[in-house]
Structure formats: C-alpha cells, structure tokens
Amino acid sequence: CLFDAACKIGAILSNSSKKTINSLGDFGLHLGNAFQIIDDALDYESDSTKIGKEVGDDLSEGKITLPIIYALEKTSGTENKILGCKTRT
C-alpha cells in the first residue's frame, strides 16, 4: 500500500484522470509486492554486508514472510514448531 500511495500522490496533486491515478496505483502495488518478495528472499540468501541487515532476522523475529508461508503449506505439526510458528487449524 505504501508504494501504491507513493505512485498515486503525484497524479492526484496534478489533477490527473482517475484512469491515470489508478494505473499508477496498480504499478505501485506490483512494485511494492516485487520489492517485498525480493526482501523476503534476501533474508535467507544474501550477505549482511551487502543488504545492510542481518541475514535471517525475519526468521529469528518470527515474521511470517512469503517463504515461511510456502514452507507452512508444505509442513505441519513438529515442522511448523521448528519454523517457530503455531500450527494452523
């Protein structure tokens, strides 16, 4: 939503058409999703000196990121506990 809003604001302030505003919002939403997916992947497979944060921070903090969501879909019970997540009901 942050990228959506950032992409829309210029068009809104310049009184652009709703079509332009919505198109820029769609672009921002997709850009934000791509950014988040890359950020999630880098948390597992990167060099902390290159990305500016410790690798594995999201996992150690228990954040539910896209890789964890996919892992949870393929696991259950004990495996979910290893991932640090509650089992889904």
Side-chain angles (χ1 to χ4, degrees), residues 2-3 28-42:
L2 177 63
F3 282 79
L29 185 62
H30 294 302
L31 179 64
N33 286 336
F35 173 87
Q36 192 59 58
I37 290 168
I38 291 169
D39 182 66
D40 290 350
L42 288 174

Side-chain angles (χ1 to χ4, degrees), residues 19-64:
K19 182 179 178 182
T20 299
I21 294 168
N22 290 335
S23 293
L24 287 167
D26 289 344
F27 171 78
L29 185 62
H30 294 302
L31 179 64
N33 286 336
F35 173 87
Q36 192 59 58
I37 290 168
I38 291 169
D39 182 66
D40 290 350
L42 288 174
D43 192 57
Y44 296 97
E45 198 64 41
S46 190
D47 178 350
S48 61
T49 60
K50 291 181 182 177
I51 64 171
K53 67 178 188 176
E54 289 299 315
V55 174
D57 273 356
D58 290 346
L59 181 61
S60 67
E61 293 171 9
K63 292 182 181 175
I64 304 297

